[in-house]
Amino acid sequence: MDIGTGHAWLIPALSVLSSLVISLALLLKSVHVLPKNGSYLSIAAIGSGFLLFFPILRDLLSNGPREYGLPWLLVGGTEIRWSMLLDPLSVTMLGLVTLVALCVQVYSLCYMHGHPRFGWYYAVQSLFAASMLGLVLADNLLLLYITWELVGACSYLLIGFYYEQRSAAEAAKKAFVTTRLGDVGLLIGILLLFKVTGTFQLSGIFDAVATGKLDSATVNWAALLIFLGAMGKSAQFPFHVWLPDAMEGPTPVSALIHAATMVTAGVYLVARTYPIFLAAETVLSFVTIIGLITTLMAALLALVATDIKRVLAYSTVSKLGFMMLALGSGSLAAGIFYLITHGFFKALLFLGSGNVIHATERQDMRELGGLRNSMPVTTATFVIGSLALAGIAPLSGFFSKDEVLIAVREHQSPFVLVLTLFSLFITGVFIARLVLRTFFGAQTHDSSHYHEAGWNMTGPMIVLAALSIVGGLVVFPFFGEMLGLGGGFMEFINPSSGAHGNAGATVHAAQFDTAMALLSTLVSGSGLLIGWIFYGARLWSPQAISKRMTPVVVLLENKYFLDSFYQAIINGVVLVAGLLVATFDRVVVNDVAVNGLGRIAVFAGDRLKYHVTGKLNNYGMGMVVGAVIIAAAAFTFLS
Amino acid sequence: MTAFQLLFYLLSAASIVGGIGVVWSTNVVHSALFLVLSLSAVAGVFLVLFADFLALVQILIYGGAITILILFAMMLTRVADEAVVSDSPQKPWGVAAAAAFFGITAYAIYNTPWNVGTAAIQRVPFRDLGVSLFTQWAIPFEVASLVLLVGLIGAIIIARPEDRE
Amino acid sequence: MIPLQHALIFGALLFSLGLYGMLARRHAVMVLMAIELMLNAVNVNLVAFSAYVAPGAFVGQIFAIFVITIAAAEIGLALAIVLRVYRNKATANVDEIDLLKW
């Protein structure tokens, strides 16, 4: 039996199964029966998913995209299906999600070791991975929405994993509520599309868009609403506030959220429904603007953050904006390419920061330094990840970043390109600051008892580091052909080879643009250099600079006052409105309506009970009078 | 006015008078005897309306069984010992309510278009009635007999003096 | 021939008398007698309809027979109850049997 695209459903199904088994064991209070409290079960599920990815990819390459499913509901004339689409886009994501989830789960074996809710952690991890895999495979918007919400719910559980700490509970709530704001938009968008096309199937909707059955206003609205959902999930400005706070979760969870599951869902959603966006020019510009704003403002925030996870979180926000910028520039392939390589090195960076936190139990870089001696593997892999993030040749980030820059150069104004390059410059500065202050320089604490993490923590990091180094090469046709992709990654992913031919898609083949490569390397390199001057060589003092730019620093340290602004809105509008509603509920609904009715009944009963005399004659009189009245009424009104 | 009509009005008048006596008399035994008069007159009305079998049943059951039963009940509840039985204080209201009921019924009777056939009233032979009762109406008939049986047993159990242990 | 309406008016009169008896009498046996009057009024109506509206079908008479049967069962049971109540409360006046009032 050949294993191929037809078996893709097994991948999420296995993880769901493992999640259910672990949860059941938890319910029966017998999780210790499972191997390693269920963690091996979860790892086995996601590991087999990752292994299944290869035959599926081979089958996809030889037999082309495939769409299949089971009927689920028949409502009126609409059939809703459990259906999945295996095309280059979804299969690529499949590989990324299973790989990162596998790395994170292996890593967590050590990181979460001994935690009282160890089994629960793996149950949710499994479900989280399964939801994301379901989201990736989903071929209709309803299924997509369900898995989308499942991803949100699981992230809520994992961010709030240390719910004994108030800050973790708050962060989980903030993440859930903020993304919900966007989800409402997504739901409305899905329903709008269903209303005008009568189907949830992506293929049907794309056909309707392609044949021009929908007027341009509808397409624009639908695209905008879908993008709202993506903005919430992918932490785009102004919904980005939840992601830095999501650091309250365990660090492996952060790695998973940032690299493969949660935030990439938004980018993937836009990519999945890209034909709609291509038909909506206005929204595409909106995507560009939001992406640009996000990438710039988050990069600047990363400059002043001191918590290492927070710096990484802002860098993720910045890079998500970068991906959106690529998508807004009409290059699906560049956006997804960046998503994949970013997945590798961002997971790596988070796992590295996890090592640091695990060993030192500190995560403020002002309290850290000189860890390179005690943690050589972590330092080496972390530096690789950082250089990839900065986009230094020949690491993967270099190639993927260049593809995005080329797309931006070709489709946007030079002004946008300049701003994008500026964000890359800032990236170089903040990542240099992070690496130099954490791993180099003077030791701020006695590090003799710090030690390198075990193999199941460093192992996944080494795998990810290797991929961060070579992952970018798939962009070249020669490398892609070596893997059997039939050309470079860009040709592989580009929508025209997808199941739904998107004639309008702007496809550009991978091109190694020397000028752009030089320019971007120059920019990133100078960023790194500036960072080194400030934090490595300490030739200039960053304090002197920040003193001269006090207003800017204050603005950044307060995160543009967005959090305060939102809090003010919540206090001034939401809570006041809630108070009004609560008062209305108490006074009108409760006192007047509910209790009032009750009081009327009591009062009436009090008065009327004296007419219940218990005397037969009185009752008979009542019957006769009633009969006479009814008869009289019947003769008066009915005849 | 034919003899039939005369007979009908006379019998109904007798029945009404009997009815008035039943509800107006202050002596319970008189009431019971007026009931016999009223019900017997109703039997006569049945005869006039060619319901011979019903007339017989009426005399047998009402004139005989039920009246006897009522007299027994009076004896056992010693109501016959009282010279005069008092009525409920809502007596005047009772008059008004009953009059209103009669008024509305009479109004209904005279304002409803009755689909009266032109055929003359026919005498129903006992034989036809009997055959019909035991064929077409056999199941209700049997159920009615069951009801009577249950009523009989129930009456015995209710009226029986409590066992003294 | 007697008009149908006259027979019905006779029935209505008899029924109203029974009604009055039910409303005005206090003694349980008297109330039961009033009820007998009402049942008879119903029978008169049934027989009249049977004779005038559907001559030859005599369904009304069959109904009347069942009414009489039920009436017999009813009066038997009702009198048993009256006896029982009289034994327990030493009265058979319906307005003194008012345990179910407020």
Side-chain angles (χ1 to χ4, degrees):
Chain A
M1 187 180 70
D2 277 347
I3 296 175
T5 45
H7 296 80
W9 61 273
L10 271 171
I11 302 180
L14 281 172
S15 281
V16 169
L17 191 68
S18 97
S19 173
L20 285 179
V21 169
I22 300 172
S23 307
L24 192 68
L26 282 168
L27 273 181
L28 301 175
K29 303 207 183 305
S30 54
V31 75
H32 53 275
V33 176
L34 298 173
K36 270 270 192 174
N37 288 348
S39 57
Y40 282 4
L41 200 63
S42 176
I43 290 171
I46 198 72
S48 355
F50 181 57
L51 290 179
L52 273 170
F53 160 69
F54 296 103
I56 289 170
L57 178 64
R58 203 185 52 225
D59 188 27
L60 173 77
L61 290 171
S62 47
N63 296 330
R66 185 162 169 206
E67 186 181 354
Y68 64 94
L70 295 170
W72 174 23
L73 293 173
L74 190 63
V75 184
T78 313
E79 192 190 42
I80 300 170
R81 294 165 60 79
W82 286 103
S83 59
M84 40 189 61
L85 172 65
L86 276 295
D87 69 349
L89 179 62
S90 60
V91 171
T92 309
M93 285 297 288
L94 212 56
L96 175 73
V97 175
T98 48
L99 173 67
V100 173
L102 178 62
C103 289
V104 165
Q105 291 194 8
V106 171
Y107 181 91
S108 303
L109 274 180
C110 184
Y111 191 88
M112 299 303 291
H113 182 74
H115 193 278
R117 290 194 299 275
F118 188 76
W120 169 240
Y121 175 82
Y122 271 97
V124 183
Q125 272 273 4
S126 257
L127 187 62
F128 198 15
S131 329
M132 186 64 194
L133 291 166
L135 170 66
V136 165
L137 291 173
D139 187 26
N140 70 60
L141 287 174
L142 202 64
L143 198 55
L144 191 139
Y145 186 74
I146 293 169
T147 48
W148 178 269
E149 290 298 347
L150 267 176
V151 168
C154 290
S155 72
Y156 171 80
L157 291 175
L158 285 173
I159 293 169
F161 184 74
Y162 297 130
Y163 55 72
E164 297 89 346
Q165 298 168 17
R166 188 173 166 76
S167 57
E170 294 281 333
K173 195 170 73 185
K174 187 172 179 180
F176 196 68
V177 172
T178 313
T179 52
R180 286 294 310 164
L181 286 178
D183 293 352
V184 173
L186 174 60
L187 183 59
I188 298 172
I190 289 173
L191 294 179
L192 175 68
L193 282 172
F194 178 71
K195 186 175 169 242
V196 293
T197 63
T199 178
F200 287 115
Q201 293 294 123
L202 286 171
S203 47
I205 291 167
F206 294 161
D207 286 345
V209 172
T211 52
K213 253 200 302 196
L214 311 183
D215 59 272
S216 116
T218 311
V219 173
N220 272 300
W221 273 111
L224 181 67
L225 289 165
I226 290 175
F227 184 60
L228 262 180
M231 279 165 73
K233 249 332 175 247
S234 283
Q236 298 296 297
F237 175 85
F239 294 134
H240 64 276
V241 291
W242 68 267
L243 191 55
D245 286 17
M247 293 300 100
E248 292 294 339
T251 308
V253 171
S254 304
L256 193 58
I257 286 180
H258 285 256
T261 48
M262 180 82 174
V263 294
T264 52
V267 178
Y268 179 75
L269 175 70
V270 176
R272 183 81 284 177
T273 56
Y274 209 53
I276 303 174
F277 282 87
L278 287 175
E281 286 291 330
T282 326
V283 179
L284 219 48
S285 321
F286 181 67
V287 173
T288 312
I289 292 166
I290 291 291
L292 191 62
I293 294 176
T294 308
T295 190
L296 275 173
M297 63 109 223
L300 287 170
L301 285 177
L303 272 179
V304 297
T306 54
D307 184 318
I308 52 176
K309 282 177 79 180
R310 208 167 260 274
V311 172
L312 291 175
Y314 281 123
S315 87
T316 305
V317 177
S318 172
K319 292 309 163 195
L320 287 167
F322 198 58
M323 295 172 211
M324 286 297 183
L325 195 56
L327 293 173
S329 305
S331 179
L332 172 67
I336 293 300
F337 186 34
Y338 198 83
L339 173 69
I340 302 294
T341 53
H342 174 262
F344 296 149
F345 56 71
K346 190 49 67 65
L348 170 61
L349 289 172
F350 267 107
L351 295 184
S353 74
N355 275 3
V356 171
I357 295 165
H358 196 63
T360 67
E361 287 172 2
R362 288 189 173 78
Q363 54 191 74
D364 191 325
M365 64 170 91
R366 286 172 300 194
E367 299 174 5
L368 293 166
L371 289 174
R372 71 175 185 284
N373 299 322
S374 45
M375 310 178 77
V377 181
T378 308
T379 309
T381 49
F382 200 91
V383 168
I384 290 170
S386 304
L387 291 178
L389 176 68
I392 298 302
L395 302 177
S396 59
F398 168 72
F399 298 105
S400 52
K401 167 205 69 182
D402 271 8
E403 291 303 326
V404 177
L405 287 174
I406 290 166
V408 170
R409 187 188 65 189
E410 284 179 2
H411 298 278
Q412 309 288 359
S413 66
F415 179 64
V416 175
L417 183 65
V418 169
L419 286 179
T420 315
L421 286 169
F422 180 65
S423 85
L424 282 178
F425 171 74
I426 305 287
T427 303
V429 178
F430 74 67
I431 201 68
R433 169 173 175 257
L434 174 62
V435 172
L436 293 172
R437 291 199 63 165
T438 309
F439 294 98
F440 297 87
Q443 281 173 6
T444 48
H445 288 86
D446 173 29
S447 66
S448 55
H449 64 281
Y450 297 161
H451 53 85
E452 187 57 89
W455 67 266
N456 46 15
M457 285 173 79
T458 50
M461 290 178 64
I462 291 168
V463 171
L464 288 169
L467 282 168
S468 300
I469 295 170
V470 300
L473 294 177
V474 291
V475 78
F476 294 110
F478 76 86
F479 197 78
E481 269 157 25
M482 211 161 72
L483 293 176
L485 291 185
F489 183 77
M490 310 296 277
E491 287 84 356
F492 172 65
I493 205 80
N494 79 50
S496 64
S497 70
H500 317 296
N502 307 304
T506 324
V507 177
H508 63 93
Q511 36 197 318
F512 188 74
D513 190 311
T514 321
M516 184 53 83
L518 280 175
L519 182 62
S520 72
T521 309
L522 190 67
V523 168
S524 308
S526 57
L528 288 173
L529 186 68
I530 299 282
W532 180 77
I533 289 172
F534 275 128
Y535 301 102
R538 296 184 184 280
L539 295 176
W540 296 336
S541 160
Q543 280 78 16
I545 300 282
S546 49
K547 242 177 230 153
R548 221 175 288 166
M549 300 166 55
T550 315
V552 180
V553 173
V554 168
L555 188 67
L556 289 179
E557 279 178 347
N558 288 291
K559 303 170 228 167
Y560 309 110
F561 296 100
L562 270 179
D563 277 335
S564 323
F565 176 63
Y566 291 157
Q567 194 61 49
I569 288 182
I570 289 169
N571 288 345
V573 180
V574 181
L575 292 185
V576 169
L579 192 68
L580 286 177
V581 173
T583 312
F584 178 83
D585 182 60
R586 252 196 312 280
V587 175
V588 178
V589 177
N590 187 53
D591 289 357
V592 175
V594 177
N595 286 354
L597 284 176
R599 259 188 233 118
I600 288 173
V602 169
F603 176 82
D606 238 23
R607 292 290 173 281
L608 288 175
K609 70 179 182 189
Y610 298 110
H611 299 277
V612 184
T613 56
K615 290 181 170 46
L616 179 78
N617 304 112
N618 298 145
Y619 293 167
M621 182 61 98
M623 283 165 64
V624 175
V625 170
V628 169
I629 288 174
I630 289 173
F635 282 120
T636 314
F637 298 115
L638 295 185
S639 56
Chain B
M1 189 182 278
T2 62
F4 251 138
Q5 281 169 313
L6 192 65
L7 204 54
F8 172 75
Y9 293 122
L10 278 177
L11 284 166
S12 17
S15 178
I16 299 298
V17 169
I20 292 174
V22 168
V23 296
W24 212 260
S25 164
T26 51
N27 185 313
V28 283
V29 181
H30 293 179
S31 267
L33 295 177
F34 275 121
L35 184 66
V36 177
L37 169 65
S38 179
L39 300 187
S40 308
V42 168
V45 172
F46 285 165
L47 271 177
V48 174
L49 295 173
F50 294 123
D52 301 3
F53 180 71
L54 266 181
L56 279 177
V57 169
Q58 175 84 2
I59 288 179
L60 272 175
I61 293 180
Y62 279 109
I66 289 181
T67 315
I68 299 292
L69 207 54
I70 286 174
L71 285 172
F72 261 102
M74 285 174 173
M75 190 179 77
L76 290 171
T77 57
R78 302 191 185 174
V79 67
D81 295 356
E82 304 171 25
V84 169
V85 286
S86 55
D87 282 342
S88 163
Q90 67 171 7
K91 194 170 170 176
W93 295 109
V95 175
F101 185 84
F102 177 71
I104 202 108
T105 318
Y107 174 83
I109 289 170
Y110 279 101
N111 284 284
T112 307
W114 298 108
N115 183 21
V116 177
T118 49
I121 302 178
Q122 292 169 356
R123 186 172 300 276
V124 177
F126 280 22
R127 185 190 157 79
D128 289 3
L129 201 66
V131 168
S132 171
L133 212 50
F134 283 99
T135 54
Q136 195 184 353
W137 302 95
I139 291 176
F141 186 82
E142 293 303 324
V143 172
S145 64
L146 197 66
V147 168
L148 276 176
L149 180 66
V150 171
L152 182 70
I153 296 170
I156 290 170
I157 289 177
I158 291 173
R160 198 180 51 171
E162 277 158 86
D163 296 331
R164 304 218 168 78
E165 305 283 314
Chain C
M1 224 168 79
I2 312 140
L4 171 64
Q5 279 88 348
H6 289 191
L8 296 181
I9 288 288
F10 167 53
L13 258 177
L14 209 54
F15 193 90
S16 301
L17 282 172
L19 211 54
Y20 164 74
M22 186 192 81
L23 297 178
R25 306 297 259 185
R26 288 178 69 213
H27 197 275
V29 176
M30 305 294 242
V31 173
L32 283 174
M33 285 196 281
I35 288 172
E36 291 310 312
L37 279 183
M38 287 195 274
L39 284 167
N40 266 277
V42 170
N43 280 352
V44 169
N45 270 21
L46 284 172
V47 171
F49 282 129
S50 176
Y52 288 88
V53 179
F58 56 82
V59 181
Q61 292 197 24
I62 303 273
F63 258 80
I65 288 171
F66 285 123
V67 169
I68 289 171
T69 316
I70 302 301
E74 172 251 21
I75 194 90
L77 269 173
L79 287 174
I81 293 170
V82 169
L83 285 185
R84 185 65 170 204
V85 169
Y86 181 77
R87 214 178 289 143
N88 286 349
K89 301 198 62 153
T91 179
N93 284 346
V94 288
D95 55 356
E96 286 169 48
I97 308 164
D98 56 358
L99 273 179
L100 279 183
K101 72 175 172 188
W102 51 275

